[in-house]
């Protein structure tokens, strides 16, 4: 067990757990945020247009292994951090260490520490959206092009029965095998044993799962939750935002599949954008439809510095365009 200078206890997943990951050859980089080591991937030309890729719960940057090759081939710079509590990043062991607002602050500090220029692009899913959209709202100019998939920004009301079921499961003793969870949740194809082990790699035992267990209970789905007012303020900023905003969504996700239209209807920058509804697919859109999402982003984003994007259309039989 390790301890920060401020006295917070944490664990650090042994490096050997991440050896020989299938389809994930990217070397991690590390920075310190609030006394914790944060791991991230930073691939592609340093002067190219940057895309920040934010994972959710209980994933890590490994979730982007199907999107990274086409985005990098198109000439973009791809930055994919592991949130504190996940992946190769340090994992506080006390649930009290995890709060919604603190994770927003940690993400802000991470982006400042790596000297990310304003005007970057963002793709965020699940908790990546809960955090990333707060940054979008609170730091105007940080991101110009913003795309989201299967996420939410609740303000004190239920996110639906699918989320309620997930919340109950996540707080039970049955939630102890992250790899098996992904094996069930990815529906467009069957994960290999190596892929399941890749998702399970950050969590050698339950000591490492404090963040994964804490996160679902932090989603502000009742008026008593912390961060309700902060999320309402974020929505007010998003409802005034005219910069490009895109949804790339799997509507058959039983947890958040019904929420795409809320973003399209409420955010002015979403008007007349090439929103896509992807089938088949479930909650973890990056794994179910990673190449299709990357292709849609390549079509939509500005060309990378020094590169001409070639991209490729999402096949018409796999995606419906919505405006």
């Amino acid at each position: 067990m390790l301890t920060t200078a401020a006295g917070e206890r944490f664990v650090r997943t042994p490096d050997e757990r991440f050896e020989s990951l299938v389809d994930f050859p990217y070397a991690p980089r590390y920075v310190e945020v609030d006394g914790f080591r944060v791991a991230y991937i930073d691939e592609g030309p340093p002067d190219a247009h940057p895309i920040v890729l934010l994972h959710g719960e209980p994933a890590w940057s490994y979730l982007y292994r199907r999107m990274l090759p086409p985005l990098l081939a198109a000439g973009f710079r791809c930055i994919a951090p592991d949130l504190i509590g996940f992946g190769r990043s340090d994992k506080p062991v006390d649930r009290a260490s995890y709060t919604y607002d603190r994770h927003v602050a940690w993400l802000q500090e991470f982006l400042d520490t790596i000297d990310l220029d304003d005007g970057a692009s963002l793709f965020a899913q699940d908790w990546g959206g809960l955090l990333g959209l707060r940054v979008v709202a609170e730091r105007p100019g940080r991101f110009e092009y913003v795309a989201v998939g299967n996420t939410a920004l609740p303000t004190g009301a239920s996110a639906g029965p699918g989320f309620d079921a997930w919340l109950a499961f996540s707080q039970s003793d049955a939630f102890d095998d992250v790899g098996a969870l992904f094996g069930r949740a990815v529906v467009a194809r069957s994960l290999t044993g190596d892929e399941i082990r890749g998702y399970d790699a950050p969590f050698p035992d339950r000591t490492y799962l404090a963040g994964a267990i804490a996160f679902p209970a932090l989603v502000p789905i009742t008026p008593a939750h912390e961060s309700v007012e902060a999320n309402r303020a974020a929505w007010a900023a998003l409802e005034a935002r005219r910069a490009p905003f895109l949804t790339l969504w799997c509507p058959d996700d039983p947890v958040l599949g019904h929420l795409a239209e809320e973003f399209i209807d409420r955010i002015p920058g979403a008007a007349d954008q090439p929103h896509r509804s992807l089938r088949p697919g479930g909650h973890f859109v990056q794994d179910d439809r990673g190449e299709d999402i990357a292709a849609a982003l390549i079509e939509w984003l500005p060309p990378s510095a020094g590169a001409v994007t070639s991209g490729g259309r999402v096949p018409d039989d796999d995606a419906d365009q919505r405006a």
Side-chain angles (χ1 to χ4, degrees), residues 113-308:
T113 300
I114 67 169
D115 294 323
L116 182 71
D117 290 337
D118 284 356
S121 295
L122 172 69
F123 178 80
Q125 178 263 347
D126 188 79
W127 262 96
L130 273 84
L131 300 174
L133 291 174
R134 286 276 298 273
V135 175
V136 170
E138 295 170 15
R139 283 283 296 270
R142 167 70 85 188
F143 296 110
E144 182 178 2
Y145 284 70
V146 174
V148 295
N150 292 62
T151 190
L153 195 63
T155 55
S158 171
F163 177 81
D164 293 342
W166 158 241
L167 174 61
F169 173 78
S170 71
Q171 304 307 295
S172 74
D173 291 340
F175 180 41
D176 63 356
D177 190 334
V178 170
L181 171 68
F182 276 90
R184 296 189 300 269
V186 175
V187 298
R189 62 192 188 88
S190 295
L191 294 183
T192 67
D194 285 340
E195 289 175 310
I196 289 173
R197 283 188 289 274
Y199 282 117
D200 201 44
F203 309 110
D205 61 49
R206 198 167 179 83
T207 308
Y208 296 77
L209 279 171
I213 294 169
F215 257 37
L218 297 178
V219 179
I221 57 169
T222 72
H225 269 80
E226 295 181 8
S227 302
V228 167
E229 290 305 318
N231 277 15
R232 286 176 177 159
W235 266 116
L238 292 171
E239 288 173 332
R241 191 176 190 275
R242 298 193 174 276
F245 191 97
L246 182 69
T247 62
L248 300 169
W249 217 270
C250 287
D252 294 334
D253 166 17
V255 180
L256 301 177
H258 59 294
L259 294 179
E261 297 299 333
E262 180 175 24
F263 293 100
I264 295 170
D265 293 343
R266 295 179 66 176
I267 299 176
D272 301 318
Q273 298 295 335
H275 304 288
R276 296 190 185 274
S277 179
L278 302 163
R279 290 185 171 94
H283 181 68
F284 296 105
V285 297
Q286 303 96 315
D287 209 321
D288 273 314
R289 305 306 296 252
E291 292 87 354
D292 294 335
I293 292 173
L297 289 172
I298 290 166
E299 289 183 9
W300 181 67
L301 291 170
S304 178
V308 177

